[in-house]
Amino acid sequence: PVDDRLRNRETYQEFLKCLNLFSQEIINRNELQSLVYDILGRYPDLMHGFNEFLGRCESMGKAPVPGDDSTTRKAQAKLDARDLKAAAQRDKAMSMRPVAELDLSNCERCGPSYRMLPKGYQRLACSGRTPEIQLLLNDDWVSISSGTEDANSFKNMRKNQYEDNMFRCEDDRFELDMMLETNASCLEEMGKINANVSALPAEERQQMRLEEKNGLSPVHFRCIERIYGDHGGDMVDLLRKNPGVAVPVVLARLKQKDDEWRRVQEEMNKVWKDVYEKNYSKSLDHRSFYQKQLDKKCFSSKGLLSELKELNEKRRAEAAATPAAAQGGRAEPEPDMVLAFADMGVHGDLHTVLAVGANETLSADTVAKLLRLYRDSVASVLGIADQESLVTALSTAEATAAAGGGRGRRGKKRTSDDDEDEGEGMELDGEGNGNETEGAEGSDEGAAAVEGDDEGAAGDQQRFEGCRPLAAAAVNRLGPGAEAANAAGVPAKCTIFCNEGLYVLFRLHYILFERLSSARATAQAAAKAKGDDSEAGGEGEYKTFVGLLTRLLEGSLDSSKFEDECRALLGTGCYTLFTLDKLVFKVVKQLQLIMAEDVGSKLVGLYKYESARGDHGFSTRAYCANACVLAGDDALFKLELSAKAEEKGMGNLSIRTLDESARTEAPACALEPEFEGYLNTMVGSEADGSGSQGVFLKRSARRPEADAGRVTVRNGLECKLNCANSKVSYVLDTEDVFVRRRGAAKPVLSTDHGVAKFHAWMDAQTGMATAS
């Protein structure tokens, strides 16, 4: 069917429209065939079948008269003539179409890639062929693509601009070499002809005609036409008709152009050499352009959070599919992500470049606060807070701030055009180089906001640090197993609960650590490739790279020059290092955001308090409960470093998203600082009696000696205060008990006194009876 062959619904609708116009007699037969040929011209078999179908339809419309054979023969002859004419028009039109537009699927094939041209396709004439050449050259078979060699299959491997420059140089060299070689071949043949012409007498020289067998091919005539430009055809005709006069002139012209073009070749060789030297190493780097595009997504908060979300969903799906017995009664689920910190020596260089990047965009006072935040969060968790490089950078920033240091050396706002991630992206120019477009990095508004809110933020932090949210009995109230999380001996400083901002900071820090580690490994490999197998050689290459990165951050080295130096130093495999400046400024910006964020600063303060409690008084569940209070409804993540005590800065940092079931309810004793102080003054102080006032009624005065032994008190009633909404509720199955025994025994009377009194009364009664 036509519809199946066309494989295009719109084209098939156009075909039906043509038939509709013809059926309504709006167009005639010739116009219909012309329109249909534009649609079915690539399918000769369909076009032939359509013409036969059209002829049969017309013959069916005119019923022949019975018994009149002449009328039938005339009608058939007319149809045959029309078919022949249509076939001739079709063949003519087909011969004018390019080979690429022909449908050769039904043609004879030779192997997987060659097809025979249709018989009706006109072959182009070619002059200048000898019988030997005619036997070798092919005019009937054409090569078609079988799929993999199609040019459209390599769209993903686009060439960079440096490779394009080299290709253009190669094209220019090829064209000039072809011109020189063709001209040299023509000079050789023209020299032979000139020798023959010079040997002839004058009369024969004038009558001589140049023929093809004399040695000049169409290529040579094309060379002569090229050197004479618009008059090339006239010179070729003159050369054919009067070679005795034209050959010496053309030969001199060919020698002149040969000398001229060879001088141009010598001059251009210097230019081409310079182009090759500047573009060769860059042309081998096909991945840096795509890496810069990929880093734009990887450095964004949205991309980092979505990556963790996907891993969390995958982990939960696997846990749901795994039977409970196979999980072995794990206390905690598997982490969503594990970050491996393996190279201890990288931390020092990381602190150096981070301090340089902060100094370039922020004031000295803000840099000191930023480095303190970094020390109290990331460096403290990794156990590198006391590393010399960080201590030196922090002390330098504090000294500069104390001396009244101003803004960074750049002192200008870094613009951003990324609308997708609220100014967190970076823009790429046409050359694939990243522009410095970190929106809030070093901006005056961002620094002013941080500095302006410094007093309030510092006051809140101090008040929070003074809060003691957990009393000594809090662990008991959390229930049994509260210390189970610490049974494995995990230090308190190695666990932190953070929100999205702090999580992004840890991830960006790890990416920077990973890039610097790869730079160090690449430097070692580059040193070995240069013949230096010693560790000092690779370390020297790495230190040189760190110096280049520092110059880039300071602004004394531009991005393109930095990339060239890196390729020359480390090779083409260092394409992941070209965006390190964007990454450093991204870390600085994230630290600024956490400083300006209330929840992030409080979570860092809570981590400092929990770390200060030590391993013995530290409770993961209590810490989680307080972090949940600060985070509220925001997402919360648990980060835990598993490392040996002697391996500071090394280990695996596990990251897990806390779902609703993992969140711990705040204990009843987690109080606000103000309320805690008020409560302590009411119930925590002892009565000293110095300021006691006398009672109004003496009967109301208590006599402790009278109540001794008759009153029992047991305080067991518990109240629970929700710090989020300040609601107080009683804890079930708890009570206060106060018992006073009222039925005290009466004083025991002396038995002898009663008996004596009774006997006296009896005697009185007896005496009275006797007297009467």
Side-chain angles (χ1 to χ4, degrees), residues 127 175 214 262 345 347 414 455 482 550 654 684 718:
S127 60
E175 291 295 333
N214 290 329
R262 292 193 184 276
H347 289 292
R414 304 172 63 87
E455 293 186 2
T550 303
S654 61
E718 296 182 5

Side-chain angles (χ1 to χ4, degrees), residues 6 25 172 216 271-272 278-279 289 299 329 335 344 391 431 496 515 531 571 578 662 665 671 712 728 735 754 760:
L6 291 178
E25 299 182 356
D172 294 341
L216 290 181
V271 177
W272 290 330
K278 291 182 177 179
N279 293 273
F289 175 81
F299 294 167
M344 177 64 183
V391 174
E431 299 181 1
I496 183 173
R515 296 288 173 89
F578 295 162
E665 186 179 1
L671 306 176
T712 303
V728 180
E735 60 185 3

Side-chain angles (χ1 to χ4, degrees), residues 441-621:
E441 295 173 5
S443 62
D444 296 337
E445 292 83 352
V450 173
E451 295 174 1
D453 296 339
D454 177 57
E455 293 186 2
D460 293 341
Q461 185 174 358
Q462 290 176 359
R463 288 196 299 269
F464 182 76
E465 289 176 356
C467 173
R468 296 296 178 265
L470 294 176
V475 177
N476 297 330
R477 297 188 182 186
L478 286 173
E483 298 294 339
N486 301 327
V490 179
K493 288 188 177 182
C494 294
T495 302
I496 183 173
F497 290 91
C498 59
N499 61 349
E500 293 181 351
L502 284 170
Y503 159 74
V504 172
L505 174 62
F506 274 89
R507 285 297 311 278
L508 291 175
H509 175 272
Y510 176 73
I511 295 175
L512 181 57
F513 173 85
E514 194 177 31
R515 296 288 173 89
L516 290 177
S517 299
S518 67
R520 194 174 188 180
T522 306
Q524 293 285 351
K528 290 183 180 180
K530 295 176 182 178
D532 189 357
D533 295 339
S534 63
E535 185 177 354
E539 198 64 26
E541 298 281 340
Y542 174 67
K543 292 300 181 182
T544 304
F545 164 76
V546 175
L548 292 174
L549 179 59
T550 303
R551 291 172 54 195
L552 176 65
L553 295 172
E554 292 175 348
S556 59
L557 188 68
D558 59 358
S559 179
S560 60
K561 184 66 175 176
F562 172 74
E563 294 180 9
D564 295 341
E565 294 289 343
C566 287
R567 291 191 189 96
L569 183 67
L570 305 177
T572 58
C574 64
Y575 59 94
T576 59
L577 308 177
F578 295 162
T579 55
L580 273 178
D581 57 331
K582 310 298 181 301
L583 181 56
V584 170
F585 290 126
K586 189 71 176 177
V587 175
V588 173
K589 174 190 172 182
Q590 191 64 29
L591 285 169
Q592 281 185 272
L593 294 177
I594 295 174
M595 289 172 62
E597 185 185 22
D598 183 57
V599 177
S601 300
K602 287 186 176 182
L603 285 173
V604 174
L606 178 63
Y607 166 72
K608 291 175 60 178
Y609 163 68
E610 294 291 345
S611 302
R613 297 180 63 194
D615 299 338
H616 299 289
F618 175 74
S619 170
T620 304
R621 291 191 61 190

Side-chain angles (χ1 to χ4, degrees), residues 629-689:
V629 172
L630 294 178
D633 296 334
D634 296 340
L636 201 63
F637 309 93
K638 180 182 179 182
L639 280 65
E640 191 171 78
L641 180 71
S642 57
K644 298 180 180 179
E646 64 273 9
E647 297 178 349
K648 291 186 177 181
M650 300 176 63
N652 296 329
L653 183 66
S654 61
I655 303 176
R656 182 168 64 91
T657 305
L658 295 183
D659 49 13
E660 294 298 329
S661 59
R663 287 175 175 259
T664 306
E665 186 179 1
C669 50
L671 306 176
E672 292 290 337
E674 293 82 1
F675 184 74
E676 183 189 22
Y678 167 74
L679 191 61
N680 288 336
T681 58
M682 294 295 295
V683 299
S685 60
E686 296 181 359
D688 53 2

